[in-house]
């Protein structure tokens, strides 16, 4: 047996070996399979054998200057208070200094049809080359209301980047003009809105506008020097609606996807190692100045929503049959059409526990409605992934129940009734501390959902950089052998 010191040295070596092996596997799979969506004919991202080398300025110099990352611990506080303020005003030039941001982002100046054009915005007359609206002063084209908003993540991130050039808006991300200075490349395509509004072809069209935009997107990206020099590994694409980017995701899989869950993604296309989980934009009203504690919430357990669901949501019907007649349990059908959002807000605000059950996909905005209502979530979704779980301990403000246990007669009510007032109050107080992390707003504020997503992306930068560097190494070798 190896001595203790030798065993201690072997552990980090083994971890590094696993990381490198997984990276090699991902890119080997990409080169070997040459994936192509069978029903679209979209181009496949270039492998290193297909591209010309584009020189890149090394980021080592900027790293040696000590780029300050703003990370939060589980209490929402900076790990290192001396690491720099997210509200720093920069160098006095009227722009945020990149060193104050957790992540430096290059944004493609893509045509408005991919982003704000989907909101009906157009450049002012006489500005034929205009791409972006002027968002200075907090003014921005409005996003449509209703359930469209729950997947509006790309809208809020894009606004934040456009505003990051202002000294008054210095957050976790800053937009840079030169892609060679960037940690990541942001693709400003409002994928969820495109799906929600344009996924069906309108006669005489044979191809929907959404599919047409996805085809244009792939052709645009694979032609860019930024994509060619990293193989897409440092690109960030938001596809929060489970059905968004449906036709292009296989072609663009090397990129970092910002998703709601992995329910409709192949594990070789999306994974927690490569991608980010972002919260839904909640639909319930945030419970401001909440003093409604344990004794002020008469309902023990609350659920309102669609009961009959397909795929993984069959458990909803089983639980409904078990719980509908239980005392102090409100389990009912509801929809947006019958003022469901307003009724759900009222119900959650007056309930101690709120059910979050798997539906068509592992996640739903109901969890985030419960969080901002300070109603302790009871999560019954075995495959759910949660936003920023690397720094937030959800077990301190949520209860997790395996699906196989939840459907046992009497199990769920016994479990919940076993949570005493003291424990519930601790979870309720924690909910009031973390709810800010799930608020999308413009301008963004410190540690809100927008800033938390950028910080989560910043924590991915080392692995993103590793993949990009390995891709360029492979590219150089193949060029040398030609």
């Amino acid at each position: 047996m190896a001595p203790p010191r030798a065993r201690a040295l072997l552990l980090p070596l083994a971890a590094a070996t696993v990381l490198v092996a997984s990276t090699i596997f991902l890119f080997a799979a990409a080169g070997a399979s040459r994936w192509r969506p069978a029903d679209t004919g979209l181009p496949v991202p270039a492998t290193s054998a297909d591209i010309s080398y584009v020189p890149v300025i090394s980021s080592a110099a900027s790293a040696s200057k000590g780029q300050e990352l703003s990370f939060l611990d589980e209490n929402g506080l900076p790990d290192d208070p001396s690491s720099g303020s997210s509200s720093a005003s920069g160098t006095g030039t009227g722009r945020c200094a990149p060193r104050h941001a957790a992540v430096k982002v290059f944004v493609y100046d893509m045509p408005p049809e991919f982003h704000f054009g989907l909101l009906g915005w157009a450049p002012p007359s006489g500005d034929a080359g205009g791409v972006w609206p002027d968002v200075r002063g907090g003014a921005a084209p409005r996003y449509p209301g209703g359930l469209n908003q729950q997947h509006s993540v790309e809208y809020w991130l894009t606004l934040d980047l456009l505003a990051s050039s202002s000294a008054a808006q210095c957050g976790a991300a800053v937009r840079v003009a030169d892609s060679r200075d960037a940690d990541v490349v942001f693709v400003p395509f409002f994928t969820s809105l495109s799906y929600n509004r344009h996924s069906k072809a309108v006669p005489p069209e044979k191809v929907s506008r959404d599919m047409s935009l996805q085809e244009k997107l792939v052709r645009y990206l694979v032609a860019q020097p930024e994509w060619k020099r990293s193989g897409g590994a440092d690109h960030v694409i938001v596809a929060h609606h489970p059905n968004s980017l449906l036709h292009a995701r296989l072609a663009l899989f090397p990129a970092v996807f910002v998703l709601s869950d992995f329910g409709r993604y192949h594990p070789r296309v999306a994974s927690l190692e490569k991608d980010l989980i972002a919260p839904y934009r909640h639909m319930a009203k945030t419970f401001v100045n909440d003093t409604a504690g344990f004794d002020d919430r008469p309902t023990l357990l609350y659920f309102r929503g669609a009961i009959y669901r397909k795929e993984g949501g069959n458990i909803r019907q089983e639980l409904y049959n078990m719980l509908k007649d239980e005392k102090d349990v409100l389990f009912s059908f509801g929809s947006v059409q019958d003022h469901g959002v307003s009724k759900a807000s009222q119900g959650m605000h007056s309930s101690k526990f709120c059910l979050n059950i798997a539906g068509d996909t592992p996640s739903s905005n109901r969890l985030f409605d419960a969080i901002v209502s300070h109603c302790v979530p009871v999560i019954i979704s075995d495959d759910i992934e949660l936003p920023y779980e690397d720094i937030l301990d959800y077990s301190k403000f949520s209860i997790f129940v395996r699906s196989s246990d939840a459907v046992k007669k009497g199990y769920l009510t016994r479990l919940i009734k076993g949570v005493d007032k003291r424990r519930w109050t601790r979870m309720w107080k924690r909910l009031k501390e973390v709810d800010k992390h799930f608020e999308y707003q413009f301008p963004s504020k410190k540690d809100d959902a927008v800033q938390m997503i950028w910080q989560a992306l910043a924590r991915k930068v080392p692995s993103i950089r590793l993949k990009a560097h390995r891709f360029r190494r492979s590219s150089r070798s193949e060029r040398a052998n030609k």
Side-chain angles (χ1 to χ4, degrees):
M1 178 179 293
R5 177 176 177 81
R7 292 200 302 274
L9 292 174
L10 285 175
L11 289 175
L13 178 60
T17 303
V18 171
L19 175 61
V20 172
S22 63
T23 303
I24 294 173
F25 172 79
L26 176 62
F27 282 93
S33 59
R34 301 281 293 162
W35 291 359
R36 181 186 302 276
D39 59 343
T40 65
L42 291 177
V44 174
T47 63
S48 55
D50 303 323
I51 67 174
S52 299
Y53 172 67
V54 180
V56 180
I57 296 177
S58 172
S59 60
S62 61
S64 66
K65 294 179 182 178
Q67 180 184 2
E68 298 169 336
L69 300 183
S70 176
F71 295 152
L72 301 178
D73 63 17
E74 64 174 14
N75 295 311
L77 299 174
D79 282 340
D80 181 2
S82 66
S83 65
S85 170
S86 64
S87 61
S89 60
T91 59
T93 62
R95 297 176 64 86
C96 290
R99 70 175 180 273
H100 290 299
V103 61
K104 295 175 291 184
V105 185
F106 175 76
V107 184
Y108 283 125
D109 287 328
M110 295 170 64
E113 65 175 332
F114 286 100
H115 41 82
F116 290 99
L118 291 167
L119 299 173
W121 177 85
S125 58
D127 187 12
V131 172
W132 302 111
D134 184 355
V135 300
R136 290 174 295 183
R142 293 182 63 84
Y143 201 87
L147 288 176
N148 286 303
Q149 294 187 47
Q150 63 180 328
H151 296 296
S152 57
V153 179
E154 60 265 39
Y155 169 77
W156 303 103
L157 295 182
T158 303
L159 285 179
D160 194 62
L161 290 172
L162 295 182
S164 70
S165 60
S166 166
Q169 181 65 18
C170 293
V174 65
R175 183 183 177 191
V176 297
D178 191 332
S179 63
R180 293 170 296 183
D181 296 329
D183 297 311
V184 295
V185 177
F186 186 78
V187 179
F189 178 28
F190 292 180
T191 59
S192 297
L193 187 61
S194 179
Y195 172 78
N196 278 330
R197 290 197 155 185
H198 304 292
S199 58
K200 295 182 180 179
V202 178
E205 298 175 348
K206 294 184 178 180
V207 176
S208 71
R209 183 180 177 189
D210 180 46
M211 183 182 292
S212 177
L213 285 174
Q214 291 182 54
E215 291 175 347
K216 289 181 181 180
L217 175 71
V218 174
R219 293 189 174 93
Y220 175 92
L221 290 180
V222 299
Q224 302 306 308
E226 289 82 9
W227 183 281
K228 291 180 179 179
R229 69 177 175 232
S230 71
D234 58 359
H235 283 50
V236 178
I237 304 174
V238 183
H240 200 260
H241 191 289
N243 291 331
S244 62
L245 209 69
L246 188 61
H247 305 285
R249 61 181 61 164
L250 292 180
L252 300 177
F253 81 95
V256 176
F257 293 140
V258 180
L259 308 171
S260 58
D261 59 47
F262 301 122
R264 294 182 180 172
Y265 279 77
H266 190 284
R268 288 173 63 191
V269 175
S271 67
L272 201 56
E273 180 217 0
K274 178 177 76 73
D275 304 307
L276 288 180
I277 298 298
Y280 289 64
R281 186 175 188 270
H282 61 82
M283 305 300 295
K285 293 182 179 179
T286 303
F287 202 160
V288 180
N289 299 323
D290 176 14
T291 59
F294 188 86
D295 296 325
D296 301 311
R297 294 174 177 250
T299 302
L300 175 67
L301 180 63
Y302 180 85
F303 178 90
R304 181 182 176 85
I307 294 173
Y308 304 103
R309 307 300 289 181
K310 55 189 177 182
E311 299 179 18
N314 293 331
I315 189 175
R316 288 192 184 183
Q317 187 174 350
E318 292 186 61
L319 289 173
Y320 171 72
N321 294 331
M322 290 174 56
L323 298 173
K324 62 181 180 179
D325 298 322
E326 288 280 348
K327 182 182 178 182
D328 298 332
V329 173
L330 181 55
F331 199 126
S332 64
F333 175 82
S335 66
V336 175
Q337 285 72 24
D338 65 347
H339 306 287
V341 173
S342 177
K343 292 179 180 178
S345 293
Q346 296 172 16
M348 290 183 169
H349 289 174
S350 61
S351 301
K352 296 179 178 68
F353 299 93
C354 287
L355 276 175
N356 181 76
I357 316 169
D360 294 345
T361 58
S363 65
S364 75
N365 71 326
R366 189 170 289 100
L367 169 61
F368 308 102
D369 288 346
I371 289 173
V372 300
S373 300
H374 311 145
C375 178
V376 174
V378 178
I379 300 173
I380 306 173
S381 181
D382 297 341
D383 297 320
I384 196 170
E385 297 292 351
L386 299 166
Y388 356 111
E389 197 173 7
D390 55 337
I391 61 170
L392 275 187
D393 184 354
Y394 281 76
S395 69
K396 291 187 176 181
F397 55 85
S398 305
I399 294 175
F400 293 85
V401 183
R402 287 189 296 265
S403 298
S404 58
D405 290 331
V407 296
K408 295 176 182 176
K409 186 174 179 58
Y411 181 92
L412 193 58
T413 51
R414 285 196 303 272
L415 176 68
I416 294 171
K417 289 178 180 179
V419 178
D420 61 20
K421 180 177 179 179
R422 184 178 177 182
R423 181 185 172 195
W424 183 92
T425 301
R426 286 200 305 268
M427 301 175 88
W428 172 67
K429 288 180 178 179
R430 185 67 180 132
L431 284 168
K432 294 197 293 181
E433 294 171 352
V434 303
D435 63 357
K436 63 183 178 181
H437 300 321
F438 302 94
E439 297 287 355
Y440 287 97
Q441 52 201 335
F442 177 72
S444 65
K445 296 181 180 179
K446 188 178 187 307
D447 302 335
D448 68 3
V450 173
Q451 301 289 341
M452 290 289 282
I453 291 170
W454 290 132
Q455 292 181 51
L457 183 61
R459 296 191 289 276
K460 293 278 189 183
V461 166
S463 63
I464 291 171
R465 190 174 290 134
L466 171 63
K467 293 172 185 176
H469 288 178
R470 292 185 65 82
F471 181 86
R472 286 197 282 275
R473 171 170 51 132
S474 175
S475 173
R476 289 179 178 178
S477 298
E478 291 180 12
R479 287 181 67 254
N481 292 331
K482 286 185 178 179

